[in-house]
Amino acid sequence: MTASTVTLERESLLTRYRRVRDLTETLSEPLSHEDQQAQSMPDVSPTKWHRAHTTWFFETFILTPELPGYRVVDERYAYLFNSYYEAVGDRHPRAERGLITRPTFEQITRYRAAVDDAMIRLIAESDHDLLARASARIELGLHHEQQHQELMLMDIKHVLARGSFDSAYRHGRTGGTANGASSRAPGARPLSWTTFDGGLCDIGTDEATPESFAFDNESPAHTVLLAPFALADRLVTVGEWKAFIADGGYQRAELWLSDGWATVQREGWDAPLYWQTEGDDVSVLTLDGRRPLHDAEPVVHVSHYEADAYAHWAGARLPTEFEWEHAAGVAGASPDDANVLPDRLADAALHPRAASGSGLQQMFGDVWEWTASAYLPYPRFRIADGAIGEYNGKFMSNQMVLRGGACVTPTGHLRATYRNFFYPHQRWMFSGVRLGRDV
Amino acid sequence: MTASTVTLERESLLTRYRRVRDLTETLSEPLSHEDQQAQSMPDVSPTKWHRAHTTWFFETFILTPELPGYRVVDERYAYLFNSYYEAVGDRHPRAERGLITRPTFEQITRYRAAVDDAMIRLIAESDHDLLARASARIELGLHHEQQHQELMLMDIKHVLARGSFDSAYRHGRTGGTANGASSRAPGARPLSWTTFDGGLCDIGTDEATPESFAFDNESPAHTVLLAPFALADRLVTVGEWKAFIADGGYQRAELWLSDGWATVQREGWDAPLYWQTEGDDVSVLTLDGRRPLHDAEPVVHVSHYEADAYAHWAGARLPTEFEWEHAAGVAGASPDDANVLPDRLADAALHPRAASGSGLQQMFGDVWEWTASAYLPYPRFRIADGAIGEYNGKFMSNQMVLRGGACVTPTGHLRATYRNFFYPHQRWMFSGVRLGRDV
Amino acid sequence: MTASTVTLERESLLTRYRRVRDLTETLSEPLSHEDQQAQSMPDVSPTKWHRAHTTWFFETFILTPELPGYRVVDERYAYLFNSYYEAVGDRHPRAERGLITRPTFEQITRYRAAVDDAMIRLIAESDHDLLARASARIELGLHHEQQHQELMLMDIKHVLARGSFDSAYRHGRTGGTANGASSRAPGARPLSWTTFDGGLCDIGTDEATPESFAFDNESPAHTVLLAPFALADRLVTVGEWKAFIADGGYQRAELWLSDGWATVQREGWDAPLYWQTEGDDVSVLTLDGRRPLHDAEPVVHVSHYEADAYAHWAGARLPTEFEWEHAAGVAGASPDDANVLPDRLADAALHPRAASGSGLQQMFGDVWEWTASAYLPYPRFRIADGAIGEYNGKFMSNQMVLRGGACVTPTGHLRATYRNFFYPHQRWMFSGVRLGRDV
Amino acid sequence: MTASTVTLERESLLTRYRRVRDLTETLSEPLSHEDQQAQSMPDVSPTKWHRAHTTWFFETFILTPELPGYRVVDERYAYLFNSYYEAVGDRHPRAERGLITRPTFEQITRYRAAVDDAMIRLIAESDHDLLARASARIELGLHHEQQHQELMLMDIKHVLARGSFDSAYRHGRTGGTANGASSRAPGARPLSWTTFDGGLCDIGTDEATPESFAFDNESPAHTVLLAPFALADRLVTVGEWKAFIADGGYQRAELWLSDGWATVQREGWDAPLYWQTEGDDVSVLTLDGRRPLHDAEPVVHVSHYEADAYAHWAGARLPTEFEWEHAAGVAGASPDDANVLPDRLADAALHPRAASGSGLQQMFGDVWEWTASAYLPYPRFRIADGAIGEYNGKFMSNQMVLRGGACVTPTGHLRATYRNFFYPHQRWMFSGVRLGRDV
């Protein structure tokens, strides 16, 4: 590698580092110190905690081991801002992150600045070997921070919804005006099916390269055998979901998985999260505030149980994660131009948009699509050594895979092999449904 | 079909009906009315309830729809003894089955006799068309009752363990003397690996026939692609598990799935269920009472979380359910001569036995083997219409597949395609571990 | 004391011992082994457990310390049948008494017989000194067993109510036919008030004597200062309670104590325990089965919270325990001829009866009357040394006093100074309401 | 009443209004916005909530009904800042006050200012009749705010203790330097007993007057009969409590009330709240931070269960609330010069001080003293009509009375008849112990 290649790489990494780190701060700007403090359920973390935890990640896994003479900003942060790395030591209880009033917002801002200074120095000035060694970890840290950017938006939506006073994350827009004219049309275009032959199909990706990052759970690349199948060419819409509700969808046990039905009964669910019915009017909470629902827009904030029951009711099923990944490849779907989170908040839709064209649409962005696949290791998957090995592997139990990304997933973070995962009862993330069926 | 063939079929069905129904009563004989009444946790059902529920199954799904003029024994039984069939109506709460003191033991005995009389009349006297129509359901009812025979033994073991006074189900034997000399040997023979090439492999079975019953979850037959793999030629033993414990197995977070580690912490687990340590002595509860543990015998009553952590510690993994099924077929493993539950209680081991020979052993009987596979529908699986459709499909969420059967599974109930399933935290069933690995 | 006096005493004690112990067995006779096994909530104990625990009391506190050479029937019983005596050692968890399937009914019957033999020998043959020393403890044991006789009836009513199949304790009677014509009359006679001057009043009783037993919590005798007050001359009736319900009694927060209102909301209470409304018909569960409610009968199975809210609604209040005791004395009320539990089950009403005469009625028997007094020690109360000291004193927290006894309290067990106590949310005992007011 | 008297009254009320309202803001000054947002358990409220709720009280009960043309600052505040007044409408759930991130700190500051403006106008300008009518309510509002000032300090101490990073409320002092030299002495002076004859004693006070405010639960004045008794002349100290611990106080069931023992077991208590033991060093959290414990200082943050067990262990008992009130009167104890909360935070000790003199000391201030009295209405107590009637009466269930006030109770808020009350398991308030005994 020539010196000038290295220089280019340094600059590219610096640019990328600054861009990702800046977006985190941009996302926290509309929020008061109080907003950034609250935790509405154990699954949710405060905005301030996200800002600190992502910083702790760089400090712990890069600066401390790699930057000679680096001194941690505050030794107590390790206890407060470790999320789940058992190998790194004890942690503040997850359900009590809302009680970490100290350090304050300003202290965390200073923490971010100090770590950024050191990171930028490391990227700009470290010798070639160190940089080569650290760059994969830095890349991981940036993708990690992008995951938390999405979590910040999911989480603050949940917090503000519970506060019940002013639940808008962003002011100055009517929620959903960004969605385009089609979302206010009375209904969406009719659903069509796209057919795939299946057969022996390539799934996953091997070791990530500097050019194309991937998480460990996307590897190893391997082959699966698929029967012929079809995918719906767009997401399930609000109008369709209303028909499901009107047909007793939430009252008919025969449509549901047993654990799903128990959840519906226990939680009293009768609609997706954030819907509210007053008389004939149904409204939905968006990050821009509460507004009327549009029949053409995709349904969002549904659990796997609801997705599965809806598919059952519709005479279809959920696609497997392999069907989804294969179809995305065959159809040439790409995250570019998808409705995802751009670097400028003002340009962000922050809500799924109605499908407007034809062909296999909305594969990336808009909403995470529930699949019929349990989150399990790929054949010959190996958990990495040390704390970084805890990144994905230990969660491969009881969760279901979602694919494609959502309107709150940062741009540049998605790819066809990306595997997201949540428990089947969860629905505070931006999750929706695409139908599949046998051919 | 000739008249004599029909007669033969009738007699064969009658014999089988009587044999299965008699075994249920045989299994309840060692128990007092009080033993048959108690429920030690929501997962467990009282013996009396099992005896009644299996009878209600025949009454509801065969006698009522098929036998002209049949009147149910007691209309209130439908509420008390429906297990989970939403389509059949409301039910007594599962967690309160131990409060059904009425009907009494004797009333349930009369209930069984009345239903048996009607069933035997139906089998012996019904016209050819009715019998042809009913026989698949009767077969399902018998396999259903066999499943509950195994549950009766698992459940009463749990009940008696909690009562803490006399916890033996069967008296007159030292627990495990039936296990043969090898189980008291200081250790088991060394573990070997049997290798399989994988490739495109046939899995599952199509619609059950009168000659070869299968549950709906075993269909459709289909092909999967397997990479080369190896299976351990015997089950994990007590001696090996002790080494896992001695090496801090229950204290090292890095060995565990995240949900598994949370369970270990919450429940305070430090050994398999029913083990008890006093000083240097480790004992185990068997259905014959408490006795010392033998290093050579298979470990039993472990959860999926423990099985997975053990495999991780051992540098191996759990096999998938497809690997297991393929290996059983290739190796010609058969449930005949396995350590399962015979018709005569006196002949039953009621506890797993040590492996004694060589080659791929203990595939059937002894203990249910945890796999790495989530319990999901096979491709193109369809849920049957009506209440019978609730039999298996609605449980395809959050559970893991186990294969092979156990020492308490009734003889004649097992086959290579059989899929059992439990939640990963459960361990009151006779569950154990066979290791797998990549080749 | 002369020899013949001693003989008379022995005979009297023997007669009394046999009478009390026999009644326990009489009360268990209508119940199957299964009925005697079940436990419907932690507060409830199985009938079999009551039969064993009362026996363990005599064995532990009299036979073991006093009868030379006595060997306990089974050493494991101490763990199973100790109710709460910390000083006597570890105990089986209270919430799991329903899991003690062993020892069986028959073993407990033999346990009772063996202890009775030894007790009768001790009473009949011990020397004068031993008898003198033991007789106070024997008397305590008999009153203790009488308390458990009442608990047996409360508890089995709760068990059978949850089983939902046949909820009658006693068959062959229509519930409440024993209540006399008046209970089926459309309403009760109008309520009158009896006025008392108050002043310095004597309360409680000093050390119990052989002739007149009292529990430690009734002592020391002392004087309290009472303002003038009035008591209702009969219990609150079903007809009156229906008016409270019809007036929104269970929906109006302003009538309730804060903790009471939280309980109503959490439990969904809208009527006393064991009431059931279908259309216009309101029925009640009695120990003789379910039957229509009569307006004239006293309301029973209400909590302190409900009693207090009712009194508030009625413009009255609950009397203090001192007002009740003083009034009982002034009015010459006596437990004789009250509706309590006689020795013969056939003679027992087992349900409160309507008031039929005039004057201050129903002070004893029928229902335990909630008072406005917290259960606290009397001035200069001292807890006795040793395990017996745990009898009453340690419960003097968070509970409220009830006075007068109920239709299920054994005859001979009541007196004006008797203090019963329950938590304010409990209502499975035979509790009701008498109003008081200031004058 | 002359015009000048009215003017004097107005000015006195204005002064007092400003003084009380200002102290609330003074108390919140050391806290960040985040500190003021967090809620560490349902019993605790965020500082911001206290600041808003006390303001809502004046707006709802005085400005809205009395000030013509007054418009509430924000109609949504009624839902958010109503604490428990059922008559005033629905409320935000108590356990979720920490989720009210909006309105923000600044909005609440403006809310306080707007209400203060209107209140000052009302006091300064309203006609004589209105002022006469409103002044009792204003007085109630001020005493209500003083109660919340104490709660603010208790609550923030609990919040900061859970955050585990920097748990000091006030910086710049070593916790307890204000306590005087005696608190660092190795032990306290020996305990002496002060004897009282008892007899017929006056308790409580009648309707509050403008000159001498009292809560409704202190009335009516009435007479009780007391036996002779003695009170300890000082509070129980840390040194004495250490002896209790060293003697197995938290391990000996026989010392405890039954509910108390269950609480100790469930919570794992082995010392007062906020104590921390590392090796031989025992430290305590104060509002000035963590510091070593001094043997001479009073023990604080103990539950009623612990207070009762300690008294039992010490061969004494807790005094009744009547004994305490009578003794305070006879001994001429006064809240003046007691260790309470002054208007200037810099002058506040914020922690109990060691007893320094002789005679009956520390009756007021330092710590709230648990009594043996359940919190019940005085004879002929009447609950006031309307929402104000909910102030005290509805809590008269399951709680125990504490007397005397604490180092965090605002000056001017205490008197001998004052009745505070908490549940017996609570200990986050500044509660301690004075012994009593029979004579």
Side-chain angles (χ1 to χ4, degrees), chain D residues 225-238:
Chain D
L225 179 64
L226 298 182
F229 67 98
L231 280 196
D233 68 341
R234 62 161 172 76
L235 298 171
V236 170
T237 65
V238 161

Side-chain angles (χ1 to χ4, degrees), chain C residues 66 135 149 153 196 201 210 253 265 287 320 342 346 418 426:
Chain C
E66 302 292 357
S135 64
Q149 287 163 355
L153 289 169
F196 299 88
C201 304
Q265 306 280 96
L287 286 166
T320 68
Y418 197 109
Q426 291 176 320

Side-chain angles (χ1 to χ4, degrees), chain B residues 408-422:
Chain B
V408 289
T409 312
T411 184
H413 186 63
L414 292 172
R415 58 204 159 266
T417 58
Y418 198 109
R419 307 174 79 197
N420 201 355
F421 49 92
F422 281 95

